[in-house]
């Protein structure tokens, strides 16, 4: 297998007020991590308290309870901001993928070189975050799966390469790496361990956008990627999991009955708004109606 390719970073000159500082891992976090894992090639490293769409988004080590709708929204807002800010400050490459591009769930992609750096130099580090106005301070654990260098799917138990975890609640961002695992038979095709594949021309050059008020990178041909993964129906939905799309604010807004009757409905952030493109669902409308 060819070694991971080091990709050129597309950094933007941007002043960011929010800060994320690296801190030593606490004794409590280290004990949690050590007790959590005993090496076994077939053992699942990351665990969740349940397998449904709600409990499946908490890390079992830090799960105490299912949080309310408002607490979930606040937690995920700062979770993704801290993640993007830290990667940007370190000059590391990451981009959003899968449901995150649709504003559904949090997923981050990284190049193989970035993943290798995280595993060697940043594994099990705790990072302190302060919001722009200084009113919110949180700690996040970057935990890299010991199986990250194994680039085949295997038994499917370790397709997630790393996590960025809010240690207050257990909510997290899944991080998966991409690599050219078959350069001879599939040149220019990048694969993760969950059988998602991308062509170099679909990924690069990355587009600059804004997500939860923070600069972010998205794949160059993001609309094609979304169409390939979710098909057209998912791209034009205006109702999803108790939310509806508000074209005036370009946001997913909770239905009144959903907000109060179903407090654990998924957080749905503002739409991704790439520069030089119409924001939100307008992108999908353009895609489906272009000649």
């Amino acid at each position: 297998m060819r070694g991971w390719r080091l990709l050129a970073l597309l950094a933007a000159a941007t002043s960011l007020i929010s800060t994320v500082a690296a801190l030593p891992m606490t004794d409590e976090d280290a004990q949690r991590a050590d007790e959590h894992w005993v090496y076994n090639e077939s053992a699942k490293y990351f665990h969740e308290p349940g397998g449904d769409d709600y409990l499946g988004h908490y890390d079992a080590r830090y799960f105490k309870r299912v949080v309310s709708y408002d607490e979930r929204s606040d937690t995920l807002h700062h979770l993704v901001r801290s993640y993007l800010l830290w990667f940007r400050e370190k000059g590391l490459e990451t981009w959003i993928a899968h449901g995150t591009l649709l504003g559904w769930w949090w997923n981050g992609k990284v190049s193989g070189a970035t993943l290798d750096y995280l595993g060697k130099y940043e594994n099990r580090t705790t990072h302190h975050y302060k919001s722009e106005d200084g009113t919110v301070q949180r700690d996040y654990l970057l935990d890299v799966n010991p199986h990250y260098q194994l680039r085949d799917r295997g038994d499917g138990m370790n397709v997630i390469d790393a996590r960025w975890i809010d240690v207050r609640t257990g909510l997290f961002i899944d991080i998966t790496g991409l690599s050219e695992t078959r350069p001879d038979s599939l040149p220019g095709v990048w694969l993760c361990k969950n059988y998602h594949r991308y062509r170099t021309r679909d990924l690069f050059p990355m587009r600059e956008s804004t997500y939860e008020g923070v600069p972010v990178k998205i794949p160059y041909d993001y609309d094609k990627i979304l169409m390939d993964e979710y098909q057209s129906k998912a791209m034009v939905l205006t109702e999803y999991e108790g939310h509806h799309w508000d074209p005036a604010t370009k946001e997913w807004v909770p239905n009144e009955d959903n907000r109060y009757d179903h407090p654990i409905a998924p957080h749905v952030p503002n739409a991704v708004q790439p520069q030089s493109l119409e924001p939100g669902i307008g992108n999908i409308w353009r895609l489906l109606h272009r000649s």
Side-chain angles (χ1 to χ4, degrees):
M1 181 180 73
R2 177 185 297 176
W4 286 325
R5 227 170 106 190
L6 180 61
L7 303 176
L9 302 183
L10 304 176
T14 306
S15 175
L16 300 175
I17 302 174
S18 299
T19 59
V20 184
L23 300 172
M25 193 177 192
T26 65
D27 292 339
E28 181 181 359
D29 284 336
Q31 182 177 356
R32 284 177 189 259
D34 289 338
E35 291 176 351
H36 168 67
W37 180 69
V38 176
Y39 185 79
N40 183 324
E41 285 190 1
S42 62
K44 178 176 167 64
Y45 180 69
F46 292 119
H47 293 270
E48 303 75 39
D52 60 27
D53 283 342
Y54 301 121
L55 293 178
H57 289 271
Y58 293 87
D59 188 283
R61 290 167 289 177
Y62 298 96
F63 175 74
K64 301 178 182 68
R65 62 181 175 83
V66 173
V67 299
S68 69
Y69 183 97
D70 289 337
E71 186 179 356
R72 183 186 183 88
S73 295
D74 175 76
T75 298
L76 293 178
H77 170 73
H78 293 290
L79 181 72
V80 75
R81 284 179 60 87
S82 65
Y83 171 81
L84 293 173
L85 285 167
W86 184 80
F87 270 77
R88 201 170 189 88
E89 289 171 0
K90 297 291 288 187
L92 298 172
E93 182 176 65
T94 187
W95 61 93
I96 59 176
H98 307 313
T100 318
L101 278 172
L102 292 173
W104 291 355
W105 292 115
W106 302 122
N107 298 97
K109 281 280 192 289
V110 297
S111 68
T114 295
L115 181 59
D116 201 36
Y117 173 85
L118 297 178
K120 291 179 178 177
Y121 303 108
E122 300 290 350
N123 192 18
R124 295 185 180 181
T125 53
T126 302
H127 304 274
H128 186 71
Y129 160 88
K130 181 187 292 187
S131 63
E132 291 181 334
D133 59 9
T135 61
V136 176
Q137 297 192 48
R138 305 274 167 82
D139 291 320
Y140 302 96
L141 173 67
L142 175 62
D143 193 9
V144 181
N145 190 327
H147 300 84
Y148 80 91
Q149 290 183 315
L150 303 176
R151 300 316 301 162
D152 293 326
R153 179 180 173 84
D155 59 10
M157 301 297 285
N158 289 286
V159 295
I160 302 303
D161 291 310
R163 272 184 181 171
W164 183 265
I165 307 167
D166 176 72
V167 298
R168 294 165 53 254
T169 64
L171 290 166
F172 58 81
I173 294 173
D174 272 339
I175 305 171
T176 53
L178 294 182
S179 54
E180 286 186 285
T181 57
R182 305 173 188 173
D184 296 327
S185 59
L186 294 173
V189 174
W190 297 79
L191 301 164
C192 71
K193 291 191 286 190
N194 206 25
Y195 297 137
H196 293 105
R197 60 177 60 189
Y198 309 89
R199 294 189 178 277
T200 301
R201 63 174 178 268
D202 295 335
L203 293 173
F204 303 102
M206 289 280 175
R207 296 180 185 269
E208 289 284 346
S209 184
T210 303
Y211 202 61
E212 294 292 332
V214 177
V216 68
K217 296 183 187 304
I218 61 174
Y220 178 77
D221 206 352
Y222 69 95
D223 43 10
K224 176 182 180 298
I225 290 174
L226 289 175
M227 283 289 288
D228 289 344
E229 187 164 351
Y230 294 106
Q231 307 304 317
S232 60
K233 181 179 179 180
M235 309 293 283
V236 296
L237 287 176
T238 57
E239 294 282 339
Y240 179 74
E241 291 288 344
H243 293 72
H244 65 274
W245 175 257
D246 185 339
T249 61
K250 300 183 177 64
E251 293 182 0
W252 289 96
V253 179
N255 301 331
E256 285 301 313
D257 58 342
N258 176 72
R259 186 180 185 89
Y260 299 103
D261 295 341
H262 306 283
I264 59 174
H267 168 73
V268 187
N270 295 354
V272 178
Q273 299 185 16
Q275 295 177 3
S276 77
L277 296 174
E278 290 298 317
I281 282 183
N283 289 328
I284 309 309
W285 181 267
R286 174 182 59 82
L287 170 66
L288 296 179
H289 293 82
R290 63 188 176 187
S291 57

